[in-house]
Amino acid sequence: MNPRMLVTARESRGLSQKELAEMAGVPSGTLSKAENGLTDLTEDRLVAIARVLDYPRHMLDWPDPIYTPQSSGFYHRKQQSLPQKALNKAHASVNLLRIRLSRLSEGVTITPRFPMPALASDDDDQTPESIAQRVRHIWALPSGPVDNMIAVLEAAGAFVVRRDLGSPRISAISLRISGDRPLFVLNEGMPPDRERFSLAHELGHLVMHEFLPPQGEREADRFASEFLMPSDDIRPHLYGLDLRLAARLKPYWKTSMASIIRKANTLEVITPTRYKSLIVQMAQRGMNKVEPVDLPREEPTVIDAIVDVHRRSHGYTEQQLAHLSGLLEDEYRVEFATPTLGGLRVVR
Ligand SMILES: [Zn+2]
């Protein structure tokens, strides 16, 4: 048993040490020592713990490293008010997801079309905007809107997944560990424009910040705004901006009305007074909570393709794939199975 894996498995289920000890019938002192690597647990107790946690027993032996938010390369887009316990649960889930994906992708070669660059934002001549431009250039993106943000990240070798991160106060978590594909985890339940902005924000961290500087969140937002709406391309669209025009621009740029209005303010195409007035108008109509104009949702494809290679070319059963990914079969099916109906993929 790997003590760090035991802690991570427990936290991923949102259980305290005391709760798990009680549910599994293990003295809490014994569990505490086991989690700190000071004592071993009998096989009976490990089986009981795995049963409570709904994981296969062997998963507690995984030797893989666990990364903390203090490690370099671990970022999240969240509200300040998120309780620590919820944050621990989300981080534990993302760690396990990273390990699962790296195990699942062993033996399957999918070569990225573009590199994932590392361009430090503390370089003298660089701004988040100029770095966003360089990434667009390296990835050969045409001018104008980014057609499909998830496809762009997957082409650069990243995994993108949508998962329940346990609290609506988290938008996304990203992880860049050397030797692994970068991982972007989107929280469920966000509108597509917010998903795209969150992904672009996380991309900003991955590209610019080996360690997060104090102004890092602001820099990631500036990067995202420029990546999705290059200033030179969008400026001519913003003259005379009102809510009606913002609603018309939204499906073209695939960004929220709010971010289009902020962009017009940043570029000084509208006056600060006009900007404030538009924000107030949005709030009066409840658009600061739910915006009008729905965008199509983007879907990841790389993980499905990897699972498909295992099933079709390597002859893996669902049971074997569940084992490989350290999940019981039911959960594996929810997380990774892609049922097909008449050749059409069913989108959950
Ligand atoms: Zn951030």
Side-chain angles (χ1 to χ4, degrees), residues 5-138:
M5 197 57 69
L6 173 59
V7 175
T8 307
R10 171 176 63 73
E11 288 183 344
S12 75
R13 298 309 195 197
L15 291 180
S16 69
Q17 223 173 43
K18 189 164 166 282
E19 287 165 335
L20 175 59
E22 269 169 25
M23 291 165 84
V26 178
S28 57
T30 308
L31 180 60
S32 169
K33 282 182 195 157
E35 288 195 352
N36 286 298
L38 300 174
T39 188
D40 277 331
L41 289 170
T42 60
E43 187 56 30
D44 283 357
R45 283 181 166 166
L46 287 170
V47 168
I49 286 170
R51 190 171 297 136
V52 170
L53 295 176
D54 256 329
Y55 286 125
R57 158 69 191 90
H58 73 92
M59 180 270 214
L60 299 174
D61 296 336
W62 278 359
D64 309 60
I66 302 294
Y67 296 89
T68 64
Q70 288 76 42
S71 330
S72 108
F74 202 125
Y75 309 98
H76 41 243
R77 186 168 185 236
K78 65 164 183 74
Q79 291 168 14
Q80 291 296 336
S81 54
L82 185 71
Q84 189 60 41
K85 193 179 174 195
L87 194 57
N88 288 348
K89 180 173 188 235
H91 288 151
S93 304
V94 169
N95 263 297
L96 294 180
L97 185 56
R98 183 193 66 80
I99 297 168
R100 250 170 242 148
L101 291 173
S102 106
R103 285 170 179 258
L104 275 174
S105 40
E106 259 171 52
V108 180
T109 318
I110 296 180
T111 314
R113 278 166 51 218
F114 300 108
M116 183 65 75
L119 307 163
S121 63
D122 49 10
D123 236 2
D124 279 349
D125 303 331
Q126 299 300 331
T127 61
E129 287 79 15
S130 70
I131 293 170
Q133 290 289 350
R134 276 176 69 193
V135 175
R136 286 181 64 108
H137 181 76
I138 293 167

Side-chain angles (χ1 to χ4, degrees), residues 75-77 201-202 205 217 220:
Y75 309 98
H76 41 243
R77 186 168 185 236
H201 172 105
E202 294 303 314
H205 284 313
E217 293 309 321

Side-chain angles (χ1 to χ4, degrees), residues 307-326:
V307 169
D308 215 47
V309 168
H310 282 308
R311 285 208 301 215
R312 287 170 200 258
S313 313
H314 301 164
Y316 276 68
T317 62
E318 299 283 282
Q319 204 176 8
Q320 288 165 331
L321 283 168
H323 183 89
L324 186 63
S325 45

